[in-house]
């Protein structure tokens, strides 16, 4: 099973960006975590991507819709205001699962992070478990 693991703005800077919030692991540590959710019977291949560009992220969601590929999405700051990304994600409904992941727990942070415009069209949400959230998301996708 191939899973698209899409990451929004500033997540390319994991490791040095606010380590007290996001930890010291880097984006390169995500693929092995996601693939660890697989098994001998159900291998998982992680296609991990990151962009700071909203249009590029929307295009990757379109690609997932067309190929019916499951998605793990950390929309980063786009979570809180990108209706364009939400509308793209809505097209995955009934086509392939979409798990919204946050490394931190946005609900325990500033008020502007308490709103997600993505959650209403996600299959499920995982937040606050650090990078392990990506593995948990992959396990949820494999379990379905
Ligand atoms: C984040 C939380 C967002 O509020 C923030 O803008 C990010 C990362 C997280 O993974 O905890 O960039 O999505």
């Amino acid at each position: 099973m191939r899973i698209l693991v899409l990451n929004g703005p500033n997540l390319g800077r994991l490791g040095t960006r606010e380590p007290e919030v996001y930890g010291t692991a880097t984006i390169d540590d995500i693929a092995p975590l996601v693939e660890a959710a697989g098994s001998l019977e159900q291998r998982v291949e992680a296609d991990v991507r990151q962009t700071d560009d909203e249009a590029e992220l929307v295009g990757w969601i379109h690609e997932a819709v067309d190929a019916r590929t499951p998605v793990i999405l950390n929309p980063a700051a786009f979570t809180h205001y990108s209706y364009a990304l939400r509308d793209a994600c809505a097209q995955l409904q009934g086509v392939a699962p979409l798990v919204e992941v946050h490394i931190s727990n946005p609900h325990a942070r500033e008020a502007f992070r308490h709103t997600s415009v993505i959650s209403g069209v996600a299959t499920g949400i995982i937040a606050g478990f650090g990078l392990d959230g990506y593995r948990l998301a992959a396990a949820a996708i494999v379990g379905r």
Side-chain angles (χ1 to χ4, degrees):
M1 176 192 290
R2 187 168 146 269
I3 301 179
L4 260 183
V5 186
L6 305 180
N7 296 278
N10 297 301
L11 291 171
R13 301 184 61 79
L14 280 178
T16 55
R17 173 195 183 195
E18 298 178 85
E20 66 285 2
V21 177
Y22 299 110
T24 52
T26 74
I27 195 131
D28 294 336
D29 296 314
I30 293 176
L33 274 171
V34 169
E35 291 177 356
S39 62
L40 280 180
E41 300 78 47
Q42 178 65 78
R43 288 193 50 246
V44 169
E45 182 200 329
D47 184 347
V48 180
R49 306 180 192 175
Q50 189 276 327
T51 182
D52 295 332
D53 184 270
E54 187 180 25
E56 186 167 36
L57 195 48
V58 166
W60 288 343
I61 297 289
H62 293 169
E63 181 186 323
V65 172
D66 292 345
R68 307 181 79 86
T69 307
V71 175
I72 297 171
L73 172 65
N74 185 342
F78 291 148
T79 306
H80 312 301
Y81 66 90
S82 176
Y83 299 124
L85 185 59
R86 180 200 164 97
D87 286 350
C89 290
Q91 297 169 56
L92 272 168
Q93 289 182 301
V95 173
L98 166 70
V99 183
E100 177 184 343
V101 166
H102 299 284
I103 297 164
S104 67
N105 176 359
H107 296 281
R109 301 179 63 195
E110 303 96 317
F112 76 89
R113 298 186 202 275
H114 298 179
T115 298
S116 169
V117 301
I118 307 298
S119 297
V121 292
T123 310
I125 307 137
I126 294 169
F129 294 102
L131 241 57
D132 200 41
Y134 290 86
R135 182 187 59 80
L136 295 168
I141 289 170
V142 170
R144 290 168 66 91

